[in-house]
Amino acid sequence: MKKNNKYINKFNPLIYTTILILIFMIIIPMMIMGNNSVSAGKIEVANGDDAIQTMESNETKVSINSKNTVSIYITLEDRIEEVDLEDYVCGVIANEMPVSFNVEALKAQAIASRTYVVSKMINKCSIGNGADICDSTHCQVYSSKEKVFQKWGEINSDEYWNKIKEAVDETKGKVLTYNNELVLYPQFFSTSSGKTESSVDVNGNDIPYLKSVDSLGEEIAPKFTSVKEVAIQELISTINSKYPNSGLNESNVADSIEVLSRSDAGGVIEIELGNQKVRGSEFRFLVGLNSTNFDYSIDGNKIIFNCKGYGHGIGMSQWGANVMGKNGSTYEEILKHYYTGVEINDLTFN
């Protein structure tokens, strides 16, 4: 027995050494890897008073600390209404996109509109009186199913609503993400000039997924081109009331208005109005033009503006989306065309 104990004791250091090597080379690294796989699976970004956006990249899901209903400020009635998220998206599409459009365009609109309202759950509408979002063009236009039916009339209402609901149901819970975060500015507009605008050229904000892209086939849109005539005196009065130091008057107006720069899409980035330099987007609203893509000419006592496109020109062109859908593109292809580098992920609520 003593001999055996001596034999065992002789090898104890070897056994202990082997166990230690196993612990440091295998068990501890496995524990570290296990911890890293959990923490690297999601990114949390604080975006507001109490809302947290979470992207779980391994499950391709976006989670936010909110319930799946939307609080809407009904502007004309000065009240707040709580609506199921998917019902809200139906009510937006019914106002924001022609129901005659291709169903893939409607699906793309559903995801863009859903993404927009979720971004407002994180950063509430500034004029929403405490609600997530307002029902006007300040955010995106919404009305209830009942009011939509009143607008459409009895004959086709069920057919129209079912078409919209199909588009919403087939994209239920899907939102746009960029670099594993919710897209906060899923801009869309009616009609491009054949090319969308980069956000940096329109408002000075360089947003990576809002870049200029081709948008072909929109010549069929009713507002692809437009003409607006403004009396010279009216234009001068409008400009001087906004910019009193412009120095514009009837004798110098012909030589004192000049387009200084244009975007790749053709939109006016900056225009000179006498002594005042103004962004094209500001001038568009000041004069009431359909887009920043305009030329002008002076004819006697009036100035004539010829515009291409309708809307701010950033993000998804709705008429362009319709053309793509009719040509066989899916809603995913439409969205990834107009929003550079985005992915489509599922939304969950905590």
Side-chain angles (χ1 to χ4, degrees), residues 32-52:
I32 292 171
M33 288 173 66
N35 287 336
N36 282 346
S37 69
V38 172
S39 62
K42 62 181 181 180
I43 302 169
E44 293 187 348
V45 182
N47 285 299
D49 295 335
D50 55 4
I52 293 181

Side-chain angles (χ1 to χ4, degrees), residues 21 39 47 58-59 65 97 137 145 195 204 223 250-251 255 265-266 288 293 297 306 310 324:
I21 290 172
S39 62
N47 285 299
N58 57 332
E59 297 179 4
N65 289 341
M97 180 174 271
T137 54
K145 180 179 178 180
K195 217 174 165 65
K223 293 185 179 180
E250 287 190 66
S251 63
D255 300 318
N293 193 324
S297 60
N306 291 279
Y310 183 52
M324 287 186 69

Side-chain angles (χ1 to χ4, degrees), residues 4 10 66 93-94 114 149 168-169 212 244 246 260 278 307 344:
N4 289 339
K10 181 179 179 181
S66 179
I93 296 177
R114 187 182 295 109
F149 273 43
V168 173
D169 288 346
S212 177
S246 72
L260 299 178
V278 178
C307 293
I344 300 170

